[in-house]
Every structure is written in structure tokens, then in C-alpha cells.
């Protein structure tokens, strides 16, 4: 993995791959096998049906209506940043007849299976060993998380809505635990590694000990998440953070993270990486985030520069005719769809390239990042999160956040 040719300090996917000789030094991205040798996790889980979900992509033969009916779930909201509401599931069904007439995916038909690997404590080391080898050639990392909803609101006086939004993220991330993290690897052309391309990390979580919002847990149960297994076999956050820090995925300026409305996603990830509560101020949070994730694009923020894309992830996927692989409201499938949507969106709306000053590093809903205008021509770029002069107040982009700030009534359980 290397640098992609810049377009107005951004990059253009179609101008070629990054320089393969400038990737992560192997000595820096490999794990300390001496530390983990006793875990005996270097096993081949490929044939174990409980560890690998294999889905064939055969768009010429598969009935999209059947897939959409199969993925229809019980309605409910997981959080104010949830990108797949029940209304979007119903819209996906209504669009299915149109989707049958054309290819839903941005990729050609293939008999090669796409594998979403389930990662538990027993195969954590094996999963990161694969990722370390692949990230050098597939440096675009699509990410999504599942977490136990929203259980608290910040109290006090807030000078701005942005300050309130961050404190809402902080108080819930500090109280709760991440349930799943999904990552999918892509190269600069949007291609995925053959075979396993998505890893779904399942964290230790107990319904009898941990705090959660009831609506969110019900939704995740209906999506197929097995909380009994999370309680017994889930990944310890400290073990995950240790391996992530040495994986070549973070702290690398040649790796790009792709997300959708990712304030909570990055909040939970940063808390695990630092083993600390989130910083007190939004500015400190965004500056710290920039250290671990030097390059990141939030699809929700990019949508502000398009004319007709709006709503959550599933709705955008429907508009772009991108077919979901796997189960909705599971982090692995959502991360895969996030990456597919990004590259399809790039091809249709950003063929001239993405301007880094305008798009790189902005998270919709934080730092005033609501909509962007033209960028400065200065070569000395200050923090992209603090360039208020590049932003305009367009409440329509994240309007659904404001409604949920006022009307959130999620129940919570403490056991």
C-alpha cells in the first residue's frame, strides 16, 4: 500500500494503485508471536461452519426479493446514529421489484464466495494475522459497530448544539460496551480480497451484568446476535486493542477508513484503543482520533455534496443499487455494505477525485461537520476538524439527530 495520486490534495481511485513498495514495513505490522504462542490459535477455521459465514454472489440466479424478505427484521432503533431503521427495511422491500430487473451490486457476478468471518477469543490472533498480511494490498478499511443503544443524556448547560452532541456520545460510550465491530478490506479500485474479506469481532458482553437499552438488544437479537456466546466466548477489549495497535490498521497514514455516520463507531473504537474514557472536550477527541486514524471518510458527510442521496445506509444502498451480503444490523455485513456504497458513490458522484481539505477527516454531527463548501488553497492545512470557515450550517443533513436528542426515551436495565 502506498499513496494515491492527489486530486486537489485529495485522491482519485481510477488513476492507479498506491505504490506497493511503500507499504507497512513487515517488521512493524507483524504480531509478537512469542507473546501469543501459548494461545495456539493459528488454526484453519475455513471449514468450520460456526466460524465462517459463506455467501455466494450469484446475481444472475439469486432472487433479490427472497433475500430482502429473509433479511426483514423487527422494527426498532439501535441509536440516534443507526443507519438502518425499520422504515428503510420496508423501503428495501418496496424497491425489490425494480432491483430484480438490474444488477444490484456494483461488482460483476462471480461464483467466488464472499466470507464473513466470525471472530471470537479463540481465533482472534488468527484473524489479525490474516489482516496484517492483507492490509498492505487492501488499505481501505470499511468499519461499522453494534453497541447497546443510548441509556443516558448529558446534564448541564451547553453553549452549542455541537457541544451537546459530543457530550451525548461521550456519556454513553463511557458507560456502555461495544458488542460487535466489523471491518472489510478493499483496494483502491474497490476490490476485496478473495475468500475472507470481512471480519466480525464479537466482544464479551453479558445481559446480566452490563448496561443496555432494551430496544437495542431486542433488535440485535432479532438480527441473529447470540448473546450467550458473547458472554462465554467474546473477545476481551484489552486483547483486541493490543492486536489492533500492531496490525497496521491504525496509526498509518497510508490506510484509509470508510464509515457511515461514525461518531459512536469511532468513539467506542478510540475508547478501546486508549483504555480510557473519551476526552472531556470535542476538540481533544477529534485531535486524538486524527492520530489513530489519519485518513477517514464519512459517507454521511459526503452525501451533503450530492443532489439526491439522503437517509441511512440501507436507503443509500438501495438508491445506488448495491446489494447487501449477510444480515442487517450485524457489524460485519454493515461494514461490507459501507465499503461497497462508498466505492459506488465515488464512481457516480466523485469521479474527479475527493478533495482532502473538503472531505477527509470530517465526521457528520461532530466538529460542526454538517456540510462543506469550497476549500482553501493553502498548502499548510490546519486540523480539518477546526476549519469552521469551510463549513455552513445545513441542519437538513443531520436533522434526524435533533429529533432523537429531544425524544429519546430508550429504557435501560441494570443487573
Amino acid at each position: 500500500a502506498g499513496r494515491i495520486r492527489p486530486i486537489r490534495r485529495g485522491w482519485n481511485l481510477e488513476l492507479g494503485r498506491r505504490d506497493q513498495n511503500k507499504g507497512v514495513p513487515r517488521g512493524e505490522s507483524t504480531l509478537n508471536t512469542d507473546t501469543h504462542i501459548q494461545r495456539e490459535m493459528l488454526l484453519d477455521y475455513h471449514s468450520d461452519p460456526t466460524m465462517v459465514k459463506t455467501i455466494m454472489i450469484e446475481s444472475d440466479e439469486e432472487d433479490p426479493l427472497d433475500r430482502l424478505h429473509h433479511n426483514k427484521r423487527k422494527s426498532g432503533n439501535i441509536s440516534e446514529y443507526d443507519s438502518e431503521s425499520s422504515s428503510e427495511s420496508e423501503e428495501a422491500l418496496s424497491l425489490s421489484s425494480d432491483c430484480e430487473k438490474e444488477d444490484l451490486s456494483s461488482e460483476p457476478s462471480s461464483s467466488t464466495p464472499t466470507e464473513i468471518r466470525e471472530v471470537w477469543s479463540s481465533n482472534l490472533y488468527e484473524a489479525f494475522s490474516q489482516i496484517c498480511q492483507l492490509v498492505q494490498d487492501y488499505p481501505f478499511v470499511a468499519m461499522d459497530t453494534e453497541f447497546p443503544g443510548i441509556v443516558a443524556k448529558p446534564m448541564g448547560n451547553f453553549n452549542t448544539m455541537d457541544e451537546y452532541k459530543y457530550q451525548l456520545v461521550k456519556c454513553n460510550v463511557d458507560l456502555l460496551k461495544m458488542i460487535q465491530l466489523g471491518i472489510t478490506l478493499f483496494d483502491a479500485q474497490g476490490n476485496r480480497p478473495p475468500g475472507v474479506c470481512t471480519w466480525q469481532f464479537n466482544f464479551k458482553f453479558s445481559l446480566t451484568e452490563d448496561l443496555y437499552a432494551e430496544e437495542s438488544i431486542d433488535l440485535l437479537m432479532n438480527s441473529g446476535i447470540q448473546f450467550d456466546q458473547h458472554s462465554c466466548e467474546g473477545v476481551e477489549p484489552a486483547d483486541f486493542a493490543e492486536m489492533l495497535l500492531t496490525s497496521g490498521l491504525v496509526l498509518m497514514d497510508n490506510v484509509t477508513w470508510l464509515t457511515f455516520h461514525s461518531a459512536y463507531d469511532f468513539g467506542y473504537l478510540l475508547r478501546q484503543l486508549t483504555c480510557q474514557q473519551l476526552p472531556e472536550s470535542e476538540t481533544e477527541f477529534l485531535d486524538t482520533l486524527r492520530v489513530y486514524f489519519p485518513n477517514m471518510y464519512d459517507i454521511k458527510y459526503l452525501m451533503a455534496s450530492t443532489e439526491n442521496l439522503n437517509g441511512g445506509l440501507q436507503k443509500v444502498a438501495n438508491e445506488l443499487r448495491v446489494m447487501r451480503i449477510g444480515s442487517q444490523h450485524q457489524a460485519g455485513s454493515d461494514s461490507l455494505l459501507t465499503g461497497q456504497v462508498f466505492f459506488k458513490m465515488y464512481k457516480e458522484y466523485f469521479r474527479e477525485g475527493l478533495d482532502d481539505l473538503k472531505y477527509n477527516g470530517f465526521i457528520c454531527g461532530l466538529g460542526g461537520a454538517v456540510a462543506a463548501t469550497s476549500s482553501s488553497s493553502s498548502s499548510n492545512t490546519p486540523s480539518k476538524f477546526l476549519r469552521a470557515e469551510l463549513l455552513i450550517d445545513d441542519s437538513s443533513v443531520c436533522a434526524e439527530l435533533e429529533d432523537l436528542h429531544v425524544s429519546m426515551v430508550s429504557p435501560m436495565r441494570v443487573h
Side-chain angles (χ1 to χ4, degrees):
R3 182 66 59 188
I4 290 180
R5 177 177 174 179
I7 298 294
R8 296 173 60 199
R9 296 171 300 278
W11 47 267
N12 190 310
L13 299 179
E14 295 185 349
L15 294 182
R17 298 176 182 270
R18 295 183 175 186
D19 185 357
Q20 300 296 325
N21 295 324
K22 296 181 180 180
V24 182
R26 292 185 179 275
E28 295 180 9
S29 62
T30 56
L31 296 173
N32 186 343
T33 55
D34 292 335
T35 303
H36 303 281
I37 191 169
Q38 294 181 351
R39 301 190 183 187
E40 297 181 355
M41 286 188 271
L42 288 178
L43 303 176
D44 183 9
Y45 294 95
H46 188 85
S47 60
D48 186 345
T50 64
M51 304 306 295
V52 178
K53 293 181 179 177
T54 302
I55 300 115
M56 301 295 294
I57 307 177
E58 296 176 345
S59 59
D60 289 338
E61 300 177 5
E62 183 178 43
D63 184 357
L65 184 60
D66 291 341
R67 176 181 293 277
L68 290 167
H69 278 291
H70 178 71
N71 288 334
K72 187 176 183 181
R73 303 295 180 190
K74 177 180 176 181
S75 62
N77 290 328
I78 186 169
S79 76
E80 66 170 290
Y81 285 87
D82 181 31
S83 59
E84 293 100 13
S85 64
S86 59
S87 61
E88 289 176 345
S89 298
E90 294 171 359
E91 181 176 358
L93 289 171
S94 68
L95 291 175
S96 62
S97 59
D98 294 334
C99 295
E100 288 179 351
K101 301 175 182 178
E102 58 183 286
D103 184 10
L104 292 178
S105 174
S106 59
E107 304 172 16
S109 300
S110 171
S111 59
T112 303
T114 293
E115 297 179 2
I116 299 176
R117 173 149 299 178
E118 298 282 354
V119 182
W120 303 92
S121 60
S122 59
N123 65 325
L124 178 65
Y125 177 60
E126 185 261 352
F128 270 110
S129 295
Q130 286 185 309
I131 293 171
C132 284
Q133 297 175 5
L134 290 171
V135 69
Q136 300 178 59
D137 296 321
Y138 299 88
F140 288 80
V141 184
M143 181 265 289
D144 184 79
T145 67
E146 300 295 343
F147 50 93
I150 294 177
V151 300
K153 289 182 180 181
M155 303 297 293
N157 298 320
F158 304 96
N159 296 325
T160 64
M161 179 57 73
D162 286 341
E163 184 181 357
Y164 173 81
K165 290 177 182 177
Y166 174 68
Q167 292 302 322
L168 180 65
V169 172
K170 171 177 166 55
C171 70
N172 282 279
V173 169
D174 289 347
L175 283 172
L176 305 176
K177 294 182 179 180
M178 181 160 53
I179 297 172
Q180 280 187 340
L181 170 73
I183 62 171
T184 302
L185 300 183
F186 296 83
D187 65 14
Q189 286 71 41
N191 302 311
R192 304 188 297 271
V196 177
C197 65
T198 300
W199 290 263
Q200 182 165 275
F201 295 89
N202 300 281
F203 294 100
K204 186 173 287 295
F205 190 90
S206 172
L207 294 180
T208 61
E209 298 177 2
D210 297 318
L211 190 64
Y212 59 86
E214 184 176 8
E215 289 178 345
S216 299
I217 296 301
D218 290 343
L219 179 64
L220 295 178
M221 284 181 171
N222 290 329
S223 299
I225 293 182
Q226 303 295 324
F227 284 99
D228 289 343
Q229 193 170 3
H230 278 264
S231 178
C232 299
E233 304 176 31
V235 175
E236 290 287 353
D239 294 339
F240 172 82
E242 177 187 354
M243 295 193 184
L244 181 60
L245 284 168
T246 58
S247 66
L249 293 175
V250 298
L251 302 168
M252 305 297 295
D253 62 4
N254 60 342
V255 173
T256 300
W257 286 71
L258 311 174
T259 63
F260 188 97
H261 218 169
S262 52
Y264 279 93
D265 297 325
F266 278 123
Y268 279 102
L269 201 49
L270 186 62
R271 185 189 171 197
Q272 287 206 359
L273 285 169
T274 61
C275 295
Q276 297 177 348
Q277 293 187 343
L278 295 187
E280 290 299 323
S281 71
E282 180 187 47
T283 300
E284 185 181 355
F285 167 74
L286 294 171
D287 287 342
T288 305
L289 199 64
R290 190 68 176 175
V291 173
Y292 287 92
F293 308 95
N295 299 294
M296 51 183 169
Y297 292 96
D298 188 328
I299 294 174
K300 187 72 172 179
Y301 181 74
L302 295 179
M303 287 162 54
S305 297
T306 67
E307 296 180 356
N308 58 346
L309 294 181
N310 57 78
L313 177 60
Q314 187 61 60
K315 182 179 179 183
V316 176
N318 294 340
E319 291 290 335
L320 295 175
R321 303 298 177 185
V322 177
M323 185 172 64
R324 175 183 290 275
I325 299 173
S327 300
Q328 192 174 358
H329 297 304
Q330 291 207 19
S333 174
D334 287 350
S335 72
L336 176 53
L337 188 64
T338 296
Q340 290 176 301
V341 165
F342 174 84
F343 284 100
K344 186 66 178 292
M345 186 174 171
Y346 175 85
K347 291 177 182 178
E348 295 195 7
Y349 294 94
F350 299 98
R351 295 188 66 87
E352 299 301 319
L354 284 170
D355 183 350
D356 267 354
L357 285 179
K358 192 174 180 181
Y359 300 113
N360 188 1
F362 290 100
I363 298 177
C364 185
L366 290 183
V370 178
T373 58
S374 60
S375 60
S376 169
S377 59
S378 174
S379 59
N380 297 322
T381 308
S383 173
K384 296 179 177 62
F385 303 108
L386 304 179
R387 293 182 62 85
E389 69 273 19
L390 298 181
L391 306 174
I392 61 175
D393 184 13
D394 182 0
S395 59
S396 62
V397 180
C398 298
E400 69 273 15
L401 296 183
E402 314 303 335
D403 295 334
L404 284 158
H405 287 155
V406 177
S407 62
M408 183 185 65
V409 290
S410 300
M412 71 174 180
R413 295 175 180 168
V414 183
H415 295 281

